[in-house]
Amino acid sequence: MTGLRSTSDPLVSHGRHFGRTVFALCNYPSLLTNGILRLEQLEDTPLEDLSAEERREHRVFEQLLDSYPGLLERLKDGSEEEILHVGELIGKGAAGARGDDTKTLKSAVLDWISPRGEAIQPPLHRNSKIDRGFNHELTGSLLCPAGLDWNDPRIKENLRSGEMLVCGDQWPIFVYTNHVYDSEDPWCGLLRSRLLVYAYKHVFTSPSSVDREPKATRSGNARLHGMNSVTIGSLAYIATQVRFALSSSSVFSRTDTTTDSETFYHSLLDLLEDPEECKEVDELLTWWNRQVFPASSAAKRAISANSALSKIRQ
């Protein structure tokens, strides 16, 4: 198979979108291999008997099958080599999209965090990240874990020296509206920051849509794939990309323990997929759809509780 054929394979294009919107950080060949084996296993074993990690992996596998007609038959009829090849094509797309987004966001994020009408001081380079992270006052203040005070000299010094290690499940303050965290109500403003909206539009509706009011038309990656509502996976993906763009790490890697991107990504998915949080998550997704896809039905308000209409609909 030539390089050209494998690049233009529809599975590569599908992998680009699937990685951005459903699940970004995984080994697709093993996801498919394990998924096919698990389908046989589930004929005798209920899904509840599997570990939480296996259940999530299987959920992702099923979403992949649902999103690509004919894929299940192709996998069931294919040899082990064919299954691995399909996984490699999807993985190639997902990794390619992630690399493209990492590259463009590295530069774009500096425009969004610059103080209005002013330059960043001291200057941050667009092509080098060495001065970012906790090394710089601006990126450090955005990456400071929610609940910690960046203005406390001792905390700032401990973050800069690495004495205070930040794990992926310690969410940075930039994910909150106006970068304000309420310890009494940690859901308040979570994942509703202007910075995240800018990055989301940059990746999904086109870089030029960032500064403008959302239009009814869709363009860019969302339009290409018929996307008209925000997904849980895409929110976790964008937050992970912005966090990485603000950091001083130069290469995005799943196994990078410094930025701990994989833990961060999974910690957001764990919250957003938790059935007990569905009310807050539904409200969050409606809010996001109003920002990005205002013309879609997903952006419409929920019916008011106790209204005549809600009583009729019961």
Side-chain angles (χ1 to χ4, degrees), residues 22-82:
V22 180
F23 203 74
L25 306 176
C26 86
N27 178 323
Y28 284 95
S30 66
L31 176 83
L32 296 184
T33 307
N34 295 343
I36 289 292
L37 292 172
R38 207 178 290 114
L39 282 178
E40 294 171 12
Q41 187 187 341
L42 288 170
E43 289 173 9
D44 309 312
T45 314
L47 193 61
E48 295 74 50
D49 289 3
L50 302 178
S51 70
E53 198 169 319
E54 284 178 313
R55 284 201 302 274
R56 163 178 283 161
E57 189 180 86
H58 197 68
R59 211 161 51 239
V60 172
F61 175 68
E62 288 186 321
Q63 284 176 284
L64 183 55
L65 295 182
D66 289 343
S67 65
Y68 199 89
L71 182 59
L72 179 59
E73 289 69 26
R74 184 169 171 182
L75 295 174
K76 278 186 164 177
D77 299 341
S79 62
E80 191 177 337
E81 191 179 1
E82 167 74 355

Side-chain angles (χ1 to χ4, degrees), residues 79-92:
S79 62
E80 191 177 337
E81 191 179 1
E82 167 74 355
I83 293 170
L84 291 176
H85 180 61
V86 168
E88 279 160 12
L89 289 173
I90 296 169
K92 180 179 185 175

Side-chain angles (χ1 to χ4, degrees), residues 18-19 34 57 82 106 109 112 125 173 241 253 266 285:
F18 191 85
N34 295 343
E57 189 180 86
E82 167 74 355
K106 178 166 74 169
V109 78
W112 305 329
H125 303 287
I173 196 67
Q241 283 281 13
S253 163
H266 282 145
L285 290 174

Side-chain angles (χ1 to χ4, degrees), residues 53-312:
E53 198 169 319
E54 284 178 313
R55 284 201 302 274
R56 163 178 283 161
E57 189 180 86
H58 197 68
R59 211 161 51 239
V60 172
F61 175 68
E62 288 186 321
Q63 284 176 284
L64 183 55
L65 295 182
D66 289 343
S67 65
Y68 199 89
L71 182 59
L72 179 59
E73 289 69 26
R74 184 169 171 182
L75 295 174
K76 278 186 164 177
D77 299 341
S79 62
E80 191 177 337
E81 191 179 1
E82 167 74 355
I83 293 170
L84 291 176
H85 180 61
V86 168
E88 279 160 12
L89 289 173
I90 296 169
K92 180 179 185 175
R98 193 173 73 228
D100 290 348
D101 296 338
T102 300
K103 188 177 177 181
T104 60
L105 286 169
K106 178 166 74 169
S107 172
V109 78
L110 298 184
D111 298 326
W112 305 329
I113 66 173
S114 297
R116 203 173 284 274
E118 298 173 42
I120 297 174
Q121 293 299 340
L124 283 169
H125 303 287
R126 288 186 175 270
N127 296 320
S128 165
K129 296 181 69 190
I130 200 157
D131 300 329
R132 300 187 193 186
F134 297 122
N135 304 323
H136 194 280
E137 185 63 33
L138 184 53
T139 50
S141 69
L142 294 169
L143 286 169
C144 183
L148 295 182
D149 183 4
W150 176 252
N151 294 316
D152 180 330
R154 193 168 48 86
I155 286 177
K156 192 180 292 189
E157 180 48 44
N158 287 345
L159 286 169
R160 282 183 169 161
S161 67
E163 192 172 319
M164 189 184 288
L165 204 61
V166 178
C167 300
D169 58 3
Q170 290 175 279
W171 297 334
I173 196 67
F174 81 78
V175 301
Y176 281 93
T177 305
N178 300 325
H179 312 145
V180 175
Y181 166 69
D182 179 355
S183 59
E184 298 295 309
D185 183 8
W187 257 111
C188 181
L190 177 65
L191 294 173
R192 299 187 190 205
S193 70
R194 190 172 55 94
L195 184 53
L196 288 176
V197 174
Y198 283 172
Y200 198 101
K201 289 182 177 181
H202 177 90
V203 168
F204 287 103
T205 58
S206 83
S208 62
S209 69
V210 168
D211 309 317
R212 299 194 205 126
E213 280 298 301
K215 291 199 186 85
T217 54
R218 303 194 313 271
S219 60
N221 292 314
R223 185 184 59 77
L224 278 175
H225 295 275
M227 179 187 185
N228 56 15
S229 61
V230 171
T231 64
I232 283 170
S234 61
L235 283 185
Y237 175 77
I238 290 297
T240 304
Q241 283 281 13
V242 173
R243 181 174 173 270
F244 181 77
L246 295 170
S247 78
S248 56
S249 293
S250 56
V251 181
F252 192 112
S253 163
R254 282 178 60 197
T255 53
D256 176 10
T257 51
T258 314
T259 51
D260 205 12
S261 290
E262 192 159 17
T263 304
F264 175 70
Y265 178 73
H266 282 145
S267 71
L268 286 177
L269 282 182
D270 286 342
L271 174 76
L272 298 174
E273 291 175 348
D274 186 342
E276 291 184 12
E277 306 294 339
C278 66
K279 180 176 175 287
E280 284 82 359
V281 174
D282 285 348
E283 287 171 3
L284 176 69
L285 290 174
T286 301
W287 182 89
W288 267 95
N289 284 317
R290 283 187 204 130
Q291 313 304 310
V292 187
F293 303 108
S296 80
S297 58
K300 303 293 183 274
R301 293 182 184 279
I303 297 170
S304 302
N306 298 321
S307 67
L309 178 58
S310 72
K311 299 285 186 199
I312 292 168

